[in-house]
Amino acid sequence: TALMDTLIKILVVEDEMIIAAKISMQLTSLGYEVTGILPRGEQAIEHVRENKPDIILLDINLKGEIDGIETARRVQQFADIPIIYLTANSDEATFNRAKPTRPSAFISKPFKQLDLQRAIELTISRMAESATEINNENTTGDEQPFVLSDRIFVRYKEKMIKIMLEDILYMEADRNYSHIFSSNREYVLSIPLKTIEEKMSMQLFMRIH
C-alpha cells in the first residue's frame, strides 16, 4: 500500500461501460489509480465526498438525471477537484455550457491513450501553477516537479506520482539526482535538488550541508 498512496487518483464517470473499462485500463497502465468507474453523475458526487480523487474524468453526455456538466457544477460546490471532460460531440452550445465549470481539458471521443496522458499531465501542471501563482519561465522539460501546498507531483520510474509533503523526512542532493526519503520509502528523481528547492516553500525544509 505504500506505493498506492503515491499514485494519482482518478475517478472515471462514463456510462458506456466498454469505453469506461478501456479508459480504466489505459489509466492503470499509465500508472494512475482509478478510484471508481461510475455511470451516473449522482453516484459520482457521493464518490467524490467519500474518496476525494485528485482528478475527475467526466463524460458530458451522461444518461442519468443529471449530465456531466451539472455533475461538475455540484461537485464544485464542495470540492476543488480538476475536471477533464470527455465528449463525443464538441459543439459550440455544449462547450459554452461547460465553460463556467472551468474544466482543465476537453478530450474528444474517440481518443488515444496519449491524449489522455497529455490532458492529465497538463492538468497536474496547471494545479501546481495555480497553487503557486507564480509564472516560472524556466519550467521547460519533462522532469519539472509540480508543487502544491501539501504535495509534490514528480515523474518517478516513467510515471507521474504524488508525494505528500508531510510524509517527507528529508531530501538529499546527489549531483543531478535527488533522493527523497519518506516514512516508508526512498525516491530517486532525475532532477537536481536545487530545482526542487526553487519550487518548494522553504519554511518546511531547512538546508544543511
Side-chain angles (χ1 to χ4, degrees):
T1 59
L3 185 62
M4 289 305 271
D5 297 342
T6 67
L7 296 185
I8 292 161
K9 297 185 160 113
I10 301 179
L11 168 64
V12 178
V13 189
E14 165 62 74
D15 55 13
E16 294 179 58
M17 285 329 266
I18 293 172
I19 294 176
K22 186 180 169 193
I23 292 169
S24 176
M25 277 163 49
Q26 289 177 335
L27 291 174
T28 306
S29 73
L30 287 168
Y32 299 110
E33 180 190 340
V34 177
T35 62
I37 306 174
L38 300 171
R40 296 281 179 267
E42 297 86 343
Q43 296 167 305
I45 294 163
E46 284 311 302
H47 180 93
V48 170
R49 282 187 198 279
E50 285 164 29
N51 299 279
K52 304 211 168 30
D54 296 305
I55 296 171
I56 303 171
L57 272 180
L58 185 55
D59 185 14
I60 287 182
N61 313 315
L62 297 172
K63 295 185 185 74
E65 292 289 307
I66 58 174
D67 71 355
I69 298 170
E70 179 58 25
T71 302
R73 221 178 52 73
R74 294 190 192 181
V75 164
Q76 287 172 344
Q77 286 168 357
F78 66 87
D80 184 19
I81 299 173
I83 285 162
I84 297 173
Y85 282 124
L86 306 170
T87 173
N89 57 344
S90 41
D91 58 77
E92 200 65 21
T94 305
F95 184 73
N96 289 335
R97 262 189 65 230
K99 251 193 318 205
T101 58
R102 301 182 315 285
S104 296
F106 278 88
I107 305 179
S108 295
K109 296 177 181 174
F111 52 84
K112 297 190 271 302
Q113 182 165 324
L114 189 62
D115 300 331
L116 203 55
Q117 185 175 5
R118 283 187 178 148
I120 292 165
E121 296 196 3
L122 192 63
T123 300
I124 292 166
S125 70
R126 288 227 184 101
M127 282 159 77
E129 276 166 25
S130 62
T132 51
E133 290 298 341
I134 50 171
N135 186 13
N136 287 336
E137 288 87 37
N138 59 352
T139 53
T140 50
D142 264 355
E143 305 304 328
Q144 287 296 323
F146 298 118
V147 181
L148 273 66
S149 58
D150 63 342
R151 70 197 69 177
I152 173 173
F153 292 105
V154 287
R155 193 176 292 283
Y156 175 68
K157 294 186 177 171
E158 302 300 304
K159 293 173 183 169
M160 283 290 267
I161 61 160
K162 66 175 178 202
I163 305 172
M164 303 307 285
L165 294 186
E166 63 182 23
D167 292 338
I168 296 175
L169 302 175
Y170 64 97
M171 295 183 279
E172 193 173 86
D174 178 7
R175 294 185 299 280
N176 287 332
Y177 290 86
S178 306
H179 296 256
I180 296 184
F181 295 87
S182 74
S183 39
N184 48 26
R185 59 180 300 143
E186 175 191 351
Y187 305 90
V188 181
L189 310 177
S190 56
I191 36 178
L193 191 59
K194 188 173 186 301
T195 307
I196 298 179
E197 202 179 357
E198 281 167 1
K199 294 187 177 275
M200 285 273 201
S201 152
M202 292 320 278
Q203 295 121 325
L204 294 171
F205 296 94
M206 182 177 178
R207 183 174 183 162
I208 54 170
H209 285 286

